[in-house]
Amino acid sequence: MASKNNGLLECPKKDGMKVQGNAINALLVNETVRDLIKFFDNPEPAAVQCHRCATNEADYWCDGDCRHCFCSDCWNTIHEVGQYRTHTRRSVGDRPREVPQCQGHGDHSIQFWCEQCAREICGECQQTQHAGHTSTEIGTYVRQLKEQCEVRLEGVQASLNYRSDRADKLITEVEKESEFNQTRVRETMQNLRNLIDRREETLLGEIRQVETADKSAIEEHKLLLQDEQQNLIEQVLNFAVVSKDEQPQRLLNARRPFDDFIRRADARLSDLKPRSRIKNHVTGLEDLATLQTKIENVKFEPLRHTNPNVEQIFDNNPNSTTLNLSSSRLKDLDIELVANRLACHRTLTTLKLYSSEISEMGAQYLADALRTNQ
């Protein structure tokens, strides 16, 4: 774990605690785990009270006729006289294990476990009140009970281990999914921005190019008109000079050049028709409003898995004892749907899943569902 995180170990509870992988001793002591280890390594028996005074903690056990535990004071008081002096004194920790007594016969030790009554019984009880009941030798029953408890505890531990591992995998999956989605969004949006920038630059260049061309053609047209205007001014001045002399002969002589000018002017003006132009328009901009709406509709939301076929089979068979999902080729996510439906389906006893393509994850979904609905 540390090798994947630059040599750091990080608290799985995400409380911010981090230590170097080679500095484990820097971690705080887990007092609960420490106490459990001490308890199992050195189990301390419960304190035994003195049989005589019932106040002090017992120090000795009498391996004689007394067969009881005594504190030091009571031992000295009792065992200083008579035959008690010959009793053997042992440490209270060396006393024999106490055998529980039968509830029905107080002077009899329990020997069997009655399955029907779910209680400990002695040999006499087995032959009388519990005759005909199924009974198991108490030592055998205790060993079986211990094995069952161990198996069930191991099952719980395995389930916790699976869930812990699954949580770690989900965290990794979430991180990878987030990185993938962020990269995808960034690349897509950047591509759009690049496309928009390139298209904007191209369109603006085309608009400026058309503007330059149109203005150049119009300016050239204006220059030609200005030349004609200058020619006209010269003719007007000549006409004014001739008219001012009031000599008919000069006016008659000027008529031919004047007519020639008018014909030439009409011909040139015929070529210089009033200027017109084709207007330009950017098409497709209106469609960008739709693109804008589409971009705004891009959302980040959960991807919910559904299987209409599985849902329909459950809906059509609400009270069936057997369901056949063999032809559905179910995968892990499908099994999760099945497990959710099993939680509230109380009549089903047989579920056929042949040809399913599930992994340990799908099997765990089923196991969790069966813990709820047995």
Side-chain angles (χ1 to χ4, degrees):
M1 182 183 297
S3 62
K4 297 180 179 179
N5 197 27
N6 297 323
L8 286 177
L9 286 172
E10 185 175 356
C11 175
K13 298 294 185 182
K14 302 297 182 182
D15 63 358
M17 180 68 178
K18 296 181 180 179
V19 297
Q20 289 291 336
N22 58 358
I24 302 300
N25 293 333
L27 288 171
L28 298 176
V29 176
N30 189 321
E31 297 181 357
T32 302
V33 174
R34 181 197 62 190
D35 294 343
L36 283 173
I37 293 174
K38 290 177 60 178
F39 174 78
F40 285 111
D41 287 345
N42 300 291
E44 298 180 0
V48 179
Q49 286 187 330
C50 176
H51 175 74
R52 182 172 181 268
C53 66
T55 301
N56 298 328
E57 183 177 340
D59 298 306
Y60 306 109
W61 177 73
C62 180
D63 191 6
D65 295 336
C66 300
R67 310 291 291 181
H68 291 302
C69 296
F70 301 97
C71 64
S72 297
D73 294 338
C74 291
W75 175 274
N76 294 332
T77 301
I78 294 174
H79 294 84
E80 286 182 350
V81 296
Q83 61 179 358
Y84 291 105
R85 292 181 177 179
T86 62
H87 289 184
T88 303
R89 185 178 72 179
R90 300 189 185 280
S91 171
V92 69
D94 295 333
R95 73 189 189 281
R97 186 180 58 151
E98 295 182 2
V99 179
Q101 302 298 307
C102 176
Q103 296 180 5
H105 303 87
D107 55 345
H108 290 60
S109 300
I110 61 171
Q111 295 176 286
F112 301 96
W113 172 264
C114 179
E115 298 289 348
Q116 279 82 348
C117 302
R119 56 176 291 185
E120 308 94 334
I121 58 174
C122 64
E124 184 173 344
C125 289
Q126 184 196 33
Q127 301 298 325
T128 55
Q129 298 99 317
H130 299 267
H133 290 186
T134 302
S135 60
T136 306
E137 192 272 326
I138 192 67
T140 301
Y141 175 75
V142 169
R143 285 193 297 273
Q144 293 174 349
L145 182 61
K146 180 182 177 182
E147 292 174 357
Q148 292 174 4
C149 291
E150 289 176 348
V151 170
R152 296 178 69 181
L153 289 173
E154 290 174 358
V156 173
Q157 183 62 61
S159 183
L160 286 173
N161 291 342
Y162 170 81
R163 282 160 172 74
S164 179
D165 293 342
R166 179 62 183 155
D168 291 338
K169 291 179 181 178
L170 285 177
I171 290 176
T172 302
E173 182 180 315
V174 167
E175 292 173 347
K176 289 183 178 180
E177 179 186 273
S178 176
E179 182 179 356
F180 171 78
N181 285 325
Q182 289 185 55
T183 301
R184 188 182 177 198
V185 169
R186 281 195 296 266
E187 290 180 351
T188 301
M189 295 302 178
Q190 187 61 48
N191 290 337
L192 280 175
R193 281 190 286 268
N194 293 340
L195 175 62
I196 291 173
D197 290 343
R198 289 196 302 270
R199 194 59 189 150
E200 178 184 6
E201 184 178 354
T202 300
L203 287 172
L204 293 178
E206 291 177 355
I207 291 172
R208 288 191 292 267
Q209 184 178 2
V210 170
E211 176 190 10
T212 301
D214 284 355
K215 288 173 65 176
S216 177
I218 294 172
E219 292 293 342
E220 183 178 353
H221 181 73
K222 286 181 63 178
L223 289 176
L224 294 175
L225 292 177
Q226 289 174 1
D227 290 342
E228 293 302 321
Q229 182 67 49
Q230 185 63 36
N231 293 333
L232 177 61
I233 292 173
E234 293 177 359
Q235 291 300 322
V236 170
L237 290 176
N238 291 334
F239 180 76
V241 171
V242 172
S243 298
K244 188 175 181 181
D245 289 345
E246 296 182 355
Q247 295 181 12
Q249 187 60 44
R250 292 192 62 181
L251 184 60
L252 291 173
N253 293 337
R255 177 179 178 182
R256 182 179 297 274
F258 179 77
D259 290 340
D260 291 341
F261 168 76
I262 294 298
R263 283 194 298 272
R264 289 194 304 271
D266 288 341
R268 285 193 293 270
L269 290 175
S270 178
D271 294 334
L272 295 175
K273 294 182 174 60
R275 188 73 182 182
S276 63
R277 61 180 296 269
I278 299 174
K279 293 184 178 181
N280 298 286
H281 174 65
V282 179
T283 60
L285 283 177
E286 297 79 4
D287 297 334
L288 292 182
T290 304
L291 178 60
Q292 178 181 352
T293 302
K294 290 182 179 180
I295 292 176
E296 292 173 348
N297 287 335
V298 176
K299 298 178 181 178
F300 181 67
E301 57 187 16
L303 180 62
R304 304 190 184 279
H305 179 75
T306 60
N307 189 321
N309 183 42
V310 171
E311 299 289 347
Q312 185 176 7
I313 291 175
F314 273 95
D315 292 339
N316 293 342
N317 302 276
N319 300 315
S320 298
T321 58
T322 301
L323 284 182
N324 188 354
L325 299 175
S326 300
S327 61
S328 301
R329 303 186 69 84
L330 304 181
K331 294 180 173 56
D332 289 335
L333 292 178
D334 300 316
I335 292 296
E336 184 178 16
L337 297 177
V338 172
N340 292 335
R341 295 300 294 263
L342 285 178
C344 56
H345 201 297
R346 297 300 178 183
T347 61
L348 190 65
T349 58
T350 303
L351 181 63
K352 297 181 179 180
L353 298 172
Y354 303 114
S355 302
S356 295
E357 301 172 0
I358 63 175
S359 66
E360 61 178 9
M361 184 191 304
Q364 189 65 50
Y365 287 143
L366 285 177
D368 291 341
L370 293 178
R371 285 193 180 96
T372 303
N373 182 356
Q374 300 179 350

